[in-house]
Every structure is written in structure tokens, then in C-alpha cells.
Amino acid sequence: MLVITRREGEEVVIGDPRNPIGIVRIATIKGDRVRVALEFPRDIPVHRREVADQIVVDGPEVAGKIGLAAAST
């Protein structure tokens, strides 16, 4: 595992710098909350850990149901 320190607005490039797979940017830091902006092609799945774990258990069709459940609460 790579652990790095970034400040607000700084980025991490994933893959070849000339043609990156994606970019991770620290959008904002407020207290103990960090907003991370992820820029990846739409065909690359990106999930929060709890969603990814649920997909492993219940299959990929659960991803839309988790998003809908969270939106309705």
C-alpha cells in the first residue's frame, strides 16, 4: 500500500502520466472531513468500500439498490 500526503487541491495521477488511468484530487479539507474528487473513465467501476463489499456478497445488481436506499434516507 502506498501512503502519501497531499494538500487541498493537489492531485495523484494513476497510471502512465502521459495517459493516466485516472486522477485523484483532494477537493476540500474541513476539520476531520476530506472530500476526494475521482476522475476516471466511466467504464472503470469506482465504489466506496462498503458498497464494494456488498457487491461481493450480493452481486453487481445491488449497487443501484444501495444508491437508491441511501438517497431515500
Side-chain angles (χ1 to χ4, degrees):
M1 176 185 296
L2 171 66
V3 178
I4 60 174
T5 301
R6 299 278 73 200
R7 290 188 171 97
E8 191 171 311
E10 293 183 336
E11 298 178 338
V12 175
V13 177
I14 309 295
D16 182 349
R18 290 166 289 197
N19 187 21
I21 296 169
I23 297 172
V24 178
R25 181 174 24 93
I26 305 305
T28 60
I29 302 171
K30 291 183 181 177
D32 64 346
R33 307 279 296 192
V34 178
R35 293 185 79 189
V36 179
L38 306 170
E39 184 179 326
F40 285 85
R42 290 196 175 269
D43 62 330
I44 297 178
V46 177
H47 302 288
R48 298 185 321 258
R49 169 52 68 187
E50 60 272 19
V51 173
D53 291 344
Q54 197 65 43
I55 290 170
V56 170
V57 172
D58 294 333
E61 63 279 352
V62 77
K65 294 176 185 175
I66 293 170
L68 293 174
S72 64
T73 57

